[in-house]
Amino acid sequence: TTFGSYAQARAFALTRDGSGVIVAGGVANSAAYFALARFDEDLELDPNFSGDGRVRLGMPGCGDEELLDVATGTARIYAVGRATCGGLKQGALIRLTGDGTRNTSFGNNGIATVNFFSSEMEATGLVERGGYVYVVGNLGNACDPYTNNFGSCRTFVTRFNRTTGVRDLDFGTTA
């Protein structure tokens, strides 16, 4: 399927029941947006997902958006990504219902955000456990495992309430 110029697929996940595949990516141009597509068992776009099998989501005032990982749960889909907002990379956790519509009670109209105040941010994974969604990744402009250049690279783990999208600010702190 196509989402337009500069589109890239970055991650995929099998649906919980094994009946399809969710592919996540983004379009990084002047009309930047997050992109998800769901394919059925025959690898055809699933029309039960947002009407045409594709979902496009944007963050107002931001650009260079892309999804970096995706996970499926029972009747819900999570995708984690980043967008450039005011020159900084901002993390975005998106929650959709099984039919591809935004879960408007999650975060701000289906998107929970976090600003790590870094010029670079790469989410490398997410998992849903208990009442939370955990996001793991790297911050910094020198996180290149292929060249062993880790310069100012820092790893992060953060968690969000899976129902509301509120970031758990007590997670990772000590008493």
Side-chain angles (χ1 to χ4, degrees):
T1 186
T2 179
F3 279 97
S5 301
Y6 307 104
Q8 294 182 6
R10 298 283 303 222
F12 75 96
L14 294 175
T15 56
R16 174 82 41 132
D17 65 3
S19 66
V21 177
I22 304 285
V23 177
V27 176
N29 63 17
S30 60
Y33 54 83
F34 299 121
L36 289 117
R38 184 167 73 192
F39 298 89
D40 61 22
E41 292 172 315
D42 298 322
L43 296 180
E44 299 290 331
L45 283 170
D46 183 349
N48 297 314
F49 186 71
S50 188
D52 67 354
R54 299 180 292 179
V55 172
R56 295 170 186 82
L57 301 166
M59 290 176 56
C62 300
D64 192 26
E65 299 173 11
E66 63 182 328
L67 294 177
L68 303 167
D69 201 4
V70 62
T72 61
T74 305
R76 61 185 163 267
I77 298 163
Y78 294 100
V80 64
R82 67 178 176 205
T84 303
C85 306
L88 297 175
K89 297 290 184 190
Q90 198 173 79
L93 179 62
I94 297 166
R95 181 174 169 180
L96 302 175
T97 62
D99 66 3
T101 58
R102 288 185 196 210
N103 182 320
T104 56
S105 64
F106 183 84
N108 183 3
N109 197 26
I111 301 176
T113 59
V114 60
N115 190 340
F116 289 109
F117 301 100
S118 175
S119 61
E120 291 297 323
M121 178 272 210
E122 183 84 18
T124 57
L126 72 115
V127 65
E128 177 188 11
R129 287 285 179 255
Y132 298 97
V133 178
Y134 296 83
V135 178
V136 179
N138 296 307
L139 300 171
N141 59 3
C143 300
D144 189 349
Y146 301 105
T147 63
N148 291 322
N149 179 5
F150 292 99
S152 62
C153 186
R154 297 168 296 164
T155 299
F156 71 87
V157 179
T158 190
R159 77 177 180 186
F160 297 83
N161 179 291
R162 79 170 194 189
T163 304
T164 63
V166 173
R167 185 172 171 215
D168 182 356
L169 297 178
D170 293 325
F171 178 71
T173 62
T174 57

